Amino acid sequence: MANIAENIQKIKSELPDDVTLVAVSKTKPNEDLMQAYDAGQRVFGENKAREMERKHEELPKDIEWHFIGHLQRNKVKYIAPFVKLIHSLDSLRLAKEINKRAKNEDRVIDCLVQLHISGEETKFGFDYDEAVEFLRSEPMKELQNIRIVGAMGMALHTDDKSVLKSQFGELKSFFDKMKKEYDHFEVLSMGMTNDYEVAVEEGSNMVRLGSSIFGPRNYD
Ligand SMILES: *Cc1c(COP(=O)(O)O)cnc(C)c1O
């Protein structure tokens, strides 16, 4: 069994102070989240809307819930009342739906634009050119109830450091460029258990760690 509190303390002591740790608790039971909570962790990441909604209801109210996986438009309503940050904004249609639901809730929802950085065919997210076009587009400017606060990307699943370095490095350059254009562009979410050390070296300020905190998952 994973010693969750110890894992959190060790990871936190090694991360630079300006890097936010998102504890990715998808598939994990409330007891595991509470062990992390009791060790001081307040930011949790989930990738299923209904699971996140349930955990939000059952767990302490000072937890910040981050949505990290592909978000289906018909699921936005379940998380709109409370989600703190959506890492996976990957289309205008999704942006419009989040905006609509945020408006219903009388709130502004912070989102990260998800970039497709791994070179794989199947992954969600914008290419760099598409992302720039999306961010600058007229329809985006009209959405008053979402705020784009940065970017997120997932590198190829590999141990080849030079590949990771170049994929994260490109995303950092994109981030720096957009930061000059957008006031609130502040969050660069990159790095998972397998690659977060490289991601942090390349300028990540938010890492999403699951298995290094909670142990391996049985399913995703
Ligand atoms: C599952 C998941 C993570 C965490 O993965 P680990 O390898 O367990 O750290 C991070 N980001 C996203 C988008 C995920 O789906």
Side-chain angles (χ1 to χ4, degrees):
M1 217 191 81
N3 190 328
I4 294 166
E6 246 173 48
N7 293 343
I8 295 227
Q9 273 141 18
K10 180 158 186 297
I11 291 163
K12 280 206 166 150
S13 72
E14 290 164 358
L15 280 178
D17 287 341
D18 62 339
V19 178
T20 302
L21 172 61
V22 180
V24 176
S25 47
K26 61 191 187 193
T27 78
K28 297 295 176 182
N30 287 354
E31 302 80 71
D32 288 15
L33 280 79
M34 279 311 294
Q35 282 186 43
Y37 183 89
D38 290 336
Q41 183 65 27
R42 291 294 180 274
V43 183
F44 291 85
E46 293 281 338
N47 71 344
K48 298 267 194 306
R50 298 309 288 268
E51 182 176 347
M52 185 160 115
E53 183 194 29
R54 176 179 58 73
K55 286 174 173 171
H56 167 258
E57 265 166 35
E58 293 169 357
L59 291 168
K61 290 297 170 273
D62 61 342
I63 290 177
E64 285 183 14
W65 294 99
H66 288 205
F67 195 87
I68 59 166
H70 178 63
L71 179 55
Q72 290 172 285
R73 280 175 295 136
N74 62 0
K75 302 284 169 63
V76 174
K77 57 181 178 284
Y78 301 120
I79 64 171
F82 64 89
V83 64
K84 175 81 180 175
L85 181 64
I86 295 173
H87 289 229
S88 44
L89 181 59
D90 60 5
S91 73
L92 179 59
R93 291 166 79 200
L94 178 59
K96 286 181 171 165
E97 177 65 17
I98 296 170
N99 187 72
K100 179 174 123 190
R101 298 292 173 181
K103 197 169 180 180
N104 286 347
E105 299 294 332
D106 204 13
R107 46 184 313 241
V108 174
I109 297 182
D110 286 346
C111 297
L112 305 179
V113 61
Q114 182 170 350
L115 274 297
H116 172 247
I117 66 170
S118 72
E120 289 165 297
E121 286 292 324
T122 55
K123 291 281 156 64
F124 295 103
F126 294 103
D127 296 339
Y128 289 109
D129 291 348
E130 287 170 352
V132 174
E133 200 180 307
F134 166 74
L135 290 171
R136 289 178 184 163
S137 68
E138 285 306 319
M140 270 311 284
K141 289 182 194 138
E142 282 161 22
L143 305 182
Q144 301 294 317
N145 293 76
I146 71 175
R147 192 169 67 152
I148 310 292
V149 296
M152 180 272 213
M154 279 192 274
L156 190 67
H157 191 81
T158 174
D159 292 325
D160 185 339
K161 287 231 163 86
S162 65
V163 171
L164 296 173
K165 218 169 131 55
S166 108
Q167 294 186 345
F168 288 138
E170 268 188 279
L171 183 53
K172 174 65 160 66
S173 305
F174 167 84
F175 174 74
D176 288 339
K177 182 168 100 181
M178 299 320 284
K179 204 174 154 64
K180 294 197 190 113
E181 237 176 276
Y182 295 94
D183 289 345
H184 302 292
F185 225 74
E186 282 158 4
V187 179
L188 180 54
S189 168
M190 56 184 200
M192 308 167 46
T193 292
N194 180 59
D195 57 22
Y196 74 97
E197 278 144 336
V198 183
V200 168
E201 277 169 28
E202 291 302 313
S204 167
N205 61 22
M206 188 172 278
V207 294
R208 309 175 312 271
L209 306 186
S211 33
S212 49
I213 295 174
F214 296 105
R217 289 176 295 273
N218 295 328
Y219 58 93
D220 272 274

